[in-house]
Each structure stands twice: as structure tokens, then as C-alpha cells.
Amino acid sequence: MVVVIITGASRGIGLAATSVLLETFEATVVAISRTRTPELEALGTAHPKTLEIVQCDITDEPSFTMAIQSVPARYGRLDGLILNAAALEPMTRIASTETPLDEWRTHFEVNVYSLIVALRAAIPSLRESPNGGKVIFVSSGAAISGIAGWGPYNASKAAMNSLNRTLATEERGKIVSIAIRPGKVDTTMQGAIRELGGVHMSAGVHDGFVREKREGLLLKPEDPGRVIARLIVNAPESLSGEFINWDDERCKE
């Protein structure tokens, strides 16, 4: 048995990874999410003994810390932490004074500072995992790109990757830490990009996102979700600190 915490589990990639962990690995999963969707509730009904749903805003530091620290107290261990919750907003250009700086700050509270809160709360227990603790950061190609209009998101995902590398160095031999690039997945975030991104993004790039949806080229959440679930259980030490694509050859095993 493994005990895994996953944030942002109510839909998309997080929901898919949760489902695989429950049904394929018979893991105990604590799903931390700001909302409780019908899909997540249905998983809870199907797996009442192995899925615990905790409704919590990850920017609420005391509540988020308690939600994580209470897991090993209840289940006797913590083996994995999947950091999947994230926000895209605000889409804005760096020079735009129409976007208040507070919106950038809020974005970083969600996409960066919550990661530090989660890691501080989880690391002591992850170090004690019998098979070695695992952390999976659900990153993005935005971490290494410079898509116009995505300034906050590009920067926050780059910061995520940096935290991944640092954690791998600081906890070498104790915790395996991996940032995964899930590809372009058919999620609500992709819908927001198509609907709202045209104002801020370069026309050609935005048109590409619209075309990929129209032509059915987006991945299903289950595709990267399966890989993330397997990595949180079996990720090898050799991948620690890496930023890898969901379909990397090293993930196929």
C-alpha cells in the first residue's frame, strides 16, 4: 500500500491520476482540492475506504499545512506528493498596466508559494517512506518557453522546475523529485486559452491552440495521468531532478 496526496484532483489530469492510483495501484489517496466536482465525488463513492477528499484552498497556508501534516498521522505514512493544482490567470503582457500587480502576486501564491508550503509540510514524512518518498511536479512546456501573454504562468512554471531541481539535490537518496511536462491536454485550462487568449497571445500561436482542438490533437487527461500515477509509485532515482515529457522513453517502463 502507498499513501499519496494530490492537489488539484477535482478534474483533468489530477482526477485522471487519482483514478489510476485507486484502480490500478490500490493506493490510498488524499485528494486536496478547492472544489468538489461530481466526478471526484463519484470516485469517492466508488472507493470510500481509499479516497479521502479534502476541500481546501491551497493559498490558505494554515489549512493547507494542516491538510498535509494530518495525513501521516491518520494513515501512518506518506509516500508521495503530486503537486498538480495551478492557475493560468492572469493572461497578460508584461508591459500591460491594465493588469494590477496584485493579480501577478495572487498567481504566484497559487503556482509557487503553495508548492513551498506543501513541501515543507510533507518532506519530513516523505523522508520516512519505506520505499523512498516521491514528489511529482506537474509542470508545463511554458517553463521553458516565452509565450506572449503568459508572463505569470511562464515564470511560475519555471520556478516550479527550479524547485524540483533544488529538492532533488537537497534530498538526494531520500526523496525522488520529478517535474513532468504533460503535453497539450484537453482540459478547462485549454478552453480558457482558446476563449480568452486571443487578446494577449500572438495570433499565430493562439490559432494553433484553436486548430489543435478542432482537429482532435489534444491529449486525453488519462494519457499523462497514467504516467504521473506510475511515477509517484515507482519513479527511479535516476530521474530525480529531471524535467521530462509525459511520453519520454524513460517513462514507458
Side-chain angles (χ1 to χ4, degrees), residues 224-238:
R226 278 191 293 269
V227 175
I228 290 166
R230 288 173 178 150
L231 285 172
I232 203 65
V233 175
N234 296 316
E237 178 73 28
S238 60

Side-chain angles (χ1 to χ4, degrees), residues 90 92 96-107 152:
T92 184
S96 174
T97 56
E98 295 179 3
T99 303
L101 199 56
D102 278 349
E103 292 189 23
W104 284 71
R105 291 192 179 98
T106 298
H107 179 95

Side-chain angles (χ1 to χ4, degrees), residues 212-240:
E212 286 167 336
K213 171 64 174 179
R214 184 176 63 246
E215 296 180 2
L217 300 178
L218 298 179
L219 297 168
K220 295 179 180 179
E222 292 75 16
D223 294 330
R226 278 191 293 269
V227 175
I228 290 166
R230 288 173 178 150
L231 285 172
I232 203 65
V233 175
N234 296 316
E237 178 73 28
S238 60
L239 290 181
S240 198

